[in-house]
Amino acid sequence: MSAIIEASPLEKLPQEPLPTGDSCVLVIFGASGDLTKRKLVPGLYNLACVGCMNPQFEVLGIGRTPMSTEEFRKKTGESAAKSKDSRDFSESQWEDFEKRLHYMVGDINDPNFYPELRIRLEQMEKNGSSPNHLFYVSTPASVAGPIIEGVGAAGLNRRDHGWTRIVLEKPFGQDLKSAQALNEVVRGVFDEKAVYRIDHYLGKETVQNILVFRFGNSLFEPVWNRNYIDYVEITAAETVGVENRAAFYEETGALRDMVANHLLQLLALTAMEPPVAFDADSVREQKVQVFRSIRPMSVEDAARFTIRGQYGSGVIEGKRVPGYRQEPGVNPNSTTETYAAVEFHIDNWRWAGVPFLIRTGKRLAQPLTQIRVHLKPTPQALFASKSPEVAPNVITVKIQPDEGISIAFDAKRPGTQVRTVTVQADFSYQGSFGSRGPVAYETLLLDSMRGDATLFTRRDEVEAEWSIITPIEEAWAQLPAPDFPNYTAGSEGPASP
Ligand code: BG6
């Protein structure tokens, strides 16, 4: 049984206005792809609607699909109207916004395309466009290298007037070796300070709040260690399947898609030491230290500390859905995992002996991303004989949906006997602020326009993430293939072996 105690906000705060981005031309490679329609254009549209887009901001979408600028505007407009990320979509505001969108057909694998791109950007500048260029690589990992090389060969990487930056979408490589190779290509063309490797989880308000919760309050930090914490669970459950990304997902799988980046970032923010300052390098330095302290896995460890799963058909929200192997574009004998659970151990003074249980999967029972920090039971079980319900404290950081934080603790149940019950103190973004703030892509797009790299990952950070994940992938390749499918869509995932 549990009761709810609402932690009421001290005052209702209006949402702070967002800053204005620098003027720039955002050049999107992969503009006819899914991410542009679903996340980037809706995010940019929202930024324009709230008035924080520089008047001299434009998009030049690059894609292989032949279409005119008018068709590009129409297509992206239709998707933005449907996207759950577009706030208060209105035709008239879209008509204003779409004037900023342009499209250019181009084969990004063809080196001859890049001089044409340069000419197009020069023409735009002559006609009054910004001299600043923000390149956004939203393509499969395998073509990121050729794009960066092409941009460099055409001399678009450095400007004698205006700035140039590059945003790189995940996945950043497929393993440690390919990430290192890609980083070398990037290093040959761009200064590290101009490189923005995106992990959109870092743009989420609730994720940024982890550091404020930990280091802005003196209440929690003293217990945030192995003396008081029993174990930490980090879960990212989704009800969606692979959607229309079979080709990408088949070669990626849940471990690379979610654990190698988003979940390791959540783990690092939960486990890191306080940074000396809240600036890009100080924060990233501490995260890298966490990654370096994670115990690497041998094949035996991978067999013991990991679980892979793949969904079979089942029922989600009352509707029957196909199994992964029956999804369009998926190999009917695919061994790609759509679920991964890993028990990580952080070998440092603060966390020795505290397991971090990471879990993610597609087509699970409910969408839920959260971090649950389980404290140890009290040293003396004073009330246990009277109250079987007495439970250790749990701090839950709710990343999504229902963004907030809740703390479960025990209280005396009213009555003549001493009986305890678990109650909850809840902080909810919606309740306290009346809104959830900008969505992740808005924050990150705006930061990249303003030159703030705090919420982006650094070269050594990405490589450190792959150093943890690649041994697991390699161990899985050596271990007997699991018997897929091993969980039903709509369930909680595979049973523990
Ligand atoms: C992406 C993954 O990075 O994150 C997707 O490629 C996943 O497979 C998505 O669905 C989840 O993001 P969010 O913000 O919905 O939790």
Side-chain angles (χ1 to χ4, degrees), residues 441-473:
Y441 271 98
E442 292 168 32
T443 303
L444 296 173
L445 284 162
L446 198 52
D447 281 358
S448 59
M449 287 174 208
R450 297 172 59 240
D452 182 348
T454 313
L455 301 177
F456 293 81
T457 49
R458 207 168 59 178
R459 173 185 180 146
D460 53 347
E461 206 175 339
V462 169
E463 291 182 9
E465 289 176 334
W466 282 120
S467 307
I468 299 162
I469 298 302
T470 304
I472 303 177
E473 291 284 358

Side-chain angles (χ1 to χ4, degrees), residues 90-414:
S90 89
E91 285 296 335
S92 64
Q93 279 184 310
W94 175 262
E95 273 170 29
D96 264 357
F97 172 75
E98 70 168 11
K99 295 184 193 126
R100 297 171 182 264
L101 305 181
H102 311 274
Y103 186 77
M104 181 178 179
V105 186
D107 179 358
I108 49 186
N109 289 308
D110 178 1
N112 296 323
F113 160 70
Y114 295 90
E116 287 172 31
L117 173 61
R118 185 187 170 124
I119 294 170
R120 175 73 182 258
L121 287 168
E122 282 167 356
Q123 271 169 359
M124 285 177 76
E125 197 181 329
K126 271 195 205 127
N127 294 334
S129 294
S130 170
N132 301 328
H133 296 154
L134 180 60
F135 296 104
Y136 197 113
V137 182
S138 163
T139 58
S142 53
V143 281
I147 293 174
I148 297 160
E149 281 166 343
V151 166
L156 286 166
N157 51 334
R158 286 193 182 95
R159 314 229 66 207
D160 47 15
H161 61 293
W163 53 251
T164 303
R165 297 181 192 133
I166 187 159
V167 180
L168 299 166
E169 258 299 335
K170 65 171 269 281
F172 195 85
Q174 276 289 303
D175 52 20
L176 179 59
K177 224 166 126 203
S178 56
Q180 283 169 332
L182 186 52
N183 271 328
E184 272 311 298
V185 174
V186 173
R187 194 171 67 94
V189 178
F190 286 98
D191 293 336
E192 178 67 20
K193 289 220 173 313
V195 183
Y196 291 70
R197 295 176 191 80
I198 241 177
D199 182 320
H200 79 277
Y201 265 52
L202 296 179
K204 292 180 192 275
E205 284 290 329
T206 41
V207 173
Q208 293 170 52
N209 191 41
I210 299 171
L211 292 191
V212 177
F213 178 73
R214 288 193 53 204
F215 303 129
N217 298 295
S218 52
L219 185 57
F220 307 106
E221 189 52 20
V223 299
W224 211 257
N225 55 54
R226 69 196 171 94
N227 297 327
Y228 292 94
I229 292 177
D230 205 6
Y231 63 100
V232 178
E233 282 177 290
I234 305 182
T235 304
E238 299 185 277
T239 48
V240 292
V242 282
E243 301 172 287
N244 44 1
R245 301 158 73 217
F248 157 79
Y249 204 84
E250 272 287 86
E251 46 175 79
T252 307
L255 188 70
R256 287 195 182 98
D257 186 36
M258 294 291 286
V259 183
N261 34 70
H262 307 326
L263 294 184
L264 279 180
Q265 287 292 330
L266 296 183
L267 179 151
L269 293 169
T270 308
M272 69 188 247
E273 295 301 319
V276 289
F278 191 64
D279 59 42
D281 275 328
S282 311
V283 172
R284 296 190 289 192
E285 199 54 56
Q286 293 304 338
K287 286 196 281 167
V288 171
Q289 294 299 334
V290 175
F291 295 139
R292 294 209 180 116
S293 321
I294 292 182
R295 194 182 305 161
M297 288 210 195
S298 62
V299 177
E300 293 70 34
D301 291 337
R304 192 167 150 215
F305 294 123
T306 69
I307 300 173
R308 292 177 266 180
Q310 188 193 76
Y311 61 85
S313 86
V315 176
I316 299 245
E317 286 149 11
K319 268 202 220 131
R320 175 144 293 275
V321 296
Y324 177 69
R325 288 177 176 175
Q326 287 81 52
E327 299 272 16
V330 170
N331 174 352
N333 300 314
S334 172
T335 54
T336 300
E337 82 286 353
T338 59
Y339 176 100
V342 184
E343 179 177 327
F344 286 116
H345 293 265
I346 305 177
D347 288 334
N348 65 16
W349 194 294
R350 188 189 281 260
W351 295 114
V354 180
F356 279 70
L357 311 171
I358 308 293
R359 173 167 63 215
T360 185
K362 299 236 178 248
R363 288 285 192 224
L364 294 177
Q366 48 171 336
L368 183 74
T369 303
Q370 63 179 18
I371 302 167
R372 279 168 72 78
V373 178
H374 295 259
L375 280 92
K376 290 184 173 168
T378 51
Q380 193 186 4
L382 263 188
F383 308 110
S385 60
K386 301 249 173 57
S387 284
E389 298 108 342
V390 72
N393 302 137
V394 181
I395 300 173
T396 307
V397 180
K398 300 187 221 167
I399 307 291
Q400 60 193 31
D402 305 330
E403 291 89 344
I405 292 179
S406 74
I407 301 176
F409 58 98
D410 291 294
K412 180 182 171 301
R413 211 166 165 160

